[in-house]
């Protein structure tokens, strides 16, 4: 099994050497199958499993009627325990192959309830000629109508049912193309974020948003954004807002304001566990939280560090971060590259009243980059920052491994590796790597 959800097989050997790699979805390691080639490329082939001749003992019946059509899930045919084994093996193999790391420590696995775990789900919408809401079909941009999503929270599924009711009654206005549901920590409040095309009419969207707000008592607010284009660049402007534009997301350690458009972790069961893994047992004078989002880690770090500097580029997330920031924290709205570049020039990790005297390196740097990772330039700048401890939170083992090449080359070593399964039933895996120098 390889990262991306496919199984790796090989075509028969030929005069040029061993056979071409063939990628096959919805199979399991060790199975013997009959398959049809669906695509031929110079270096690989794609195939479809026509029948399973020898089944894996880990194969189970999928828990969703849309599985194998919907592009959202990849592993529902595997027992949850085996999904964790697959992901652990993929993480270990990727680190070994890309970063040339033979782990001297075991990967610590943190499991999740395998169903109804998502607190955020984004649905594609087709208003006409007939209404549909759902996800893209696997490997395409063709809409698959989905009326229930078993990995989304129960409240999100109630919101989805209301969306379908509204759509089938012809109330969803033209121009609506995506609807995202975000539920709070105990699944009692729902924030709805709507994305529309440029031609969407403000009055029509507002009228529908007001009605949708009233359709379910748990919906706290509906915010709609309209796509705009300036030159060749696309952006979104706020079109309509009714009700609340944020939720208060409570965890065991703190409460967070999370606005429409802000990033927050999506597994409602593992939020506290993730925070504990990232910040637990660490303390000191100064910690920097890069790619801080709404401040999930910053707020927790503030209990054990005298000063916190939190860096976030998104205007919306940065506003939430400032609101959630404790008194010993400072928010910097900038990209991580901009912040590290400025720090390298000035020698200061922070400024202003909160950090009047801090000019030295931090005791800890936490990084939680997007799927694209740090990139070589930022990884080098991070190493130059000189923090004796770096905690890297990753949602992609490939970019993590690439960045580790730079950090390990700069003198860091791996102390702990955690696999935090924030995304059961999918190939996505979250990992936390503690580095020391």
């Amino acid at each position: 099994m390889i990262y991306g959800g496919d199984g790796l097989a090989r075509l028969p050997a030929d005069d040029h050497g061993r056979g071409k790699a063939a990628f096959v979805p919805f199979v399991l390691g060790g199975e013997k199958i009959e398959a049809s080639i669906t695509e031929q490329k110079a270096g690989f082939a794609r195939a479809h499993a026509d029948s399973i001749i020898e089944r894996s003992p880990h194969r189970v019946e999928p828990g969703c009627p849309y599985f194998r059509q919907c592009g959202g899930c990849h592993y529902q045919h595997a027992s949850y325990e085996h999904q964790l084994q697959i992901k652990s093996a993929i993480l270990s193999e990727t680190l070994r192959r890309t970063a040339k790391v033979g782990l001297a420590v075991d990967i610590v696995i943190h499991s999740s309830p395998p169903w109804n775990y998502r607190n955020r789900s984004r649905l594609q919408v087709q208003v006409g000629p007939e209404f549909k809401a759902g996800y893209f079909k696997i490997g395409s941009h063709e809409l698959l109508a989905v009326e229930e999503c078993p990995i989304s929270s129960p409240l999100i599924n109630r919101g989805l049912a209301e969306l379908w009711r509204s759509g089938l009654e012809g109330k969803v206005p033209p121009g609506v193309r995506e609807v995202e549901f975000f539920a709070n920590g105990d699944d009692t409040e729902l924030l709805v974020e709507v994305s529309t095309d440029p031609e969407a009419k403000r009055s029509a969207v507002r009228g529908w948003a007001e009605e949708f707000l009233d359709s379910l008592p748990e919906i706290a607010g509906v915010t709609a954004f309209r796509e705009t284009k300036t030159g060749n660049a696309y952006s979104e402007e706020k079109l309509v807002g009714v009700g609340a534009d944020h939720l208060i997301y409570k965890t065991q350690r703190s409460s967070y304001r999370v606005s429409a458009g802000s990033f927050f972790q999506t597994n409602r069961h593992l939020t506290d566990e993730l925070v504990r893994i990232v910040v637990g047992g660490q303390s000191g004078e100064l910690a920097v939280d890069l790619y801080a989002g709404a401040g999930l880690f910053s707020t927790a770090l503030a209990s054990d560090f005298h000063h916190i500097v939190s860096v976030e580029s998104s205007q919306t997330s940065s506003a939430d971060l400032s609101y959630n920031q404790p008194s010993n924290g400072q928010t910097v709205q900038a990209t991580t590259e901009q912040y590290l570049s400025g720090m390298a020039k000035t020698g200061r990790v922070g400024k202003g009243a909160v950090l009047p005297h801090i000019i030295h390196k931090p005791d800890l740097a936490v990084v939680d980059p997007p799927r694209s990772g740090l990139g070589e330039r930022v990884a080098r700048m991070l190493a130059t920052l000189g923090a004796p401890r770096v905690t890297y939170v990753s949602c992609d083992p490939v970019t993590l491994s690439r960045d580790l090449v730079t950090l390990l080359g700069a003198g860091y070593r791996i102390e702990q590796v955690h696999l935090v399964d924030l995304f059961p039933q999918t190939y996505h895996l979250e990992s936390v790597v503690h580095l020391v120098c």
Side-chain angles (χ1 to χ4, degrees):
M1 301 300 292
I2 60 173
Y3 187 64
D6 290 343
L8 170 63
R10 288 196 176 274
L11 300 181
D14 55 25
D15 295 339
H16 303 289
R18 69 174 183 169
K20 184 189 297 184
F23 303 123
V24 192
F26 310 125
V27 296
L28 293 174
E31 290 188 324
K32 184 176 183 180
I33 67 170
E34 286 188 349
S36 302
I37 301 298
T38 59
E39 185 179 7
Q40 286 273 17
K41 296 288 187 179
F44 66 92
R46 297 193 184 279
H48 173 269
D50 298 320
S51 63
I52 309 295
I53 299 172
E54 295 179 8
R55 294 168 60 93
S56 166
H58 305 293
R59 181 174 282 274
V60 299
E61 286 301 311
C64 174
Y66 306 107
F67 184 62
R68 292 189 180 91
Q69 301 176 69
C70 173
C73 289
H74 316 88
Y75 288 156
Q76 287 191 25
H77 61 300
S79 70
Y80 183 57
E81 293 75 14
H82 191 55
Q83 292 181 34
L84 296 174
Q85 294 171 356
I86 291 171
K87 292 181 180 184
S88 179
I90 287 173
L91 177 58
S92 179
E93 191 275 335
T94 305
L95 290 172
R96 182 172 59 252
R97 174 171 45 84
T98 303
K100 304 298 187 287
V101 172
L103 290 176
V105 295
D106 292 333
I107 296 174
V108 183
I109 299 175
H110 306 264
S111 62
S112 165
W115 302 103
N116 297 124
Y117 63 85
R118 288 192 67 92
N119 61 22
R120 188 187 297 271
S121 298
R122 179 180 290 264
L123 285 299
Q124 307 298 315
V125 173
Q126 173 188 295
V127 176
E130 61 176 351
F131 178 83
K132 289 182 182 180
Y135 302 116
F136 288 132
K137 292 184 178 180
I138 188 166
S140 78
H141 283 85
E142 183 182 351
L143 181 59
L144 173 70
V146 170
E147 297 186 25
E148 184 177 5
C149 177
I151 64 172
S152 298
S153 79
L155 182 54
I156 287 177
N157 275 296
R158 291 178 62 196
L160 176 56
E162 284 300 316
L163 176 61
W164 268 95
R165 180 196 58 77
S166 180
L168 292 176
E169 292 177 358
K171 296 178 179 179
V172 180
V176 171
R177 55 186 175 87
E178 291 181 340
V179 174
E180 181 175 278
F181 297 102
F182 175 59
N184 65 351
D186 58 3
D187 207 34
T188 59
E189 284 191 304
L190 203 59
L191 200 63
V192 182
E193 182 180 333
V194 180
S195 295
T196 73
D197 293 328
E199 67 270 14
K201 303 300 183 182
R202 189 185 306 270
S203 59
V205 174
R206 176 176 293 280
W208 173 68
E210 290 173 345
E211 182 173 316
F212 198 60
L213 176 67
D214 294 334
S215 68
L216 200 63
E218 290 86 351
I219 297 179
V222 181
T223 303
F225 297 88
R226 180 166 56 188
E227 184 181 77
T228 61
K229 182 179 181 181
T230 304
N232 292 323
Y234 289 90
S235 61
E236 286 191 330
E237 65 174 2
K238 184 175 179 178
L239 181 66
V240 166
V242 296
D245 63 354
H246 67 273
L247 291 181
I248 300 300
Y249 200 102
K250 295 181 179 180
T251 68
Q252 291 177 1
R253 299 187 59 151
S254 190
S255 295
Y256 303 87
R257 187 186 80 178
V258 185
S259 299
S262 284
F263 171 78
F264 203 79
Q265 295 292 344
T266 58
N267 188 308
R268 65 194 186 97
H269 301 298
L270 288 186
T271 304
D272 290 295
E273 180 76 351
L274 180 63
V275 171
R276 183 192 65 77
I277 294 164
V278 171
V279 310
Q282 307 196 71
S283 61
E285 181 69 18
L286 171 67
V288 295
D289 184 9
L290 308 176
Y291 311 92
L296 178 63
F297 303 133
S298 296
T299 303
L301 288 165
S303 300
D304 298 305
F305 287 82
H306 291 132
H307 304 285
I308 309 295
V309 175
S310 308
V311 181
E312 171 57 44
S313 61
S314 163
Q315 183 175 354
T316 303
S317 293
S318 182
D320 284 342
L321 175 61
S322 295
Y323 181 90
N324 298 327
Q325 191 75 270
S327 59
N328 60 333
Q330 180 187 66
T331 299
V332 178
Q333 186 182 343
T335 66
T336 292
E337 182 173 354
Q338 289 168 340
Y339 168 75
L340 291 175
S341 179
M343 198 261 355
K345 293 177 182 177
T346 63
R348 296 181 66 87
V349 294
K351 61 183 179 179
V354 176
L355 300 169
H357 64 286
I358 300 281
I359 59 173
H360 304 298
K361 64 186 179 183
D363 300 296
L364 170 70
V366 175
V367 294
D368 185 10
R371 196 170 303 279
S372 56
L374 301 175
E376 184 176 0
R377 174 174 167 80
V378 172
R380 290 188 182 279
M381 295 168 73
L382 176 62
T384 304
L385 185 62
R389 303 185 68 86
V390 171
T391 299
Y392 192 134
V393 184
S394 168
C395 59
D396 188 315
V398 176
T399 56
L400 165 68
S401 299
R402 179 204 63 198
D403 293 338
L404 285 178
V405 171
T406 300
L407 294 172
L408 296 175
Y412 285 94
R413 62 179 177 84
I414 295 175
E415 183 181 59
Q416 297 177 31
V417 180
H418 297 261
L419 169 60
V420 189
D421 194 28
L422 299 187
F423 312 103
Q425 316 303 337
T426 82
Y427 72 80
H428 299 292
L429 63 91
E430 191 91 353
S431 55
V432 178
V433 179
H434 291 285
L435 301 160
V436 295
C437 187

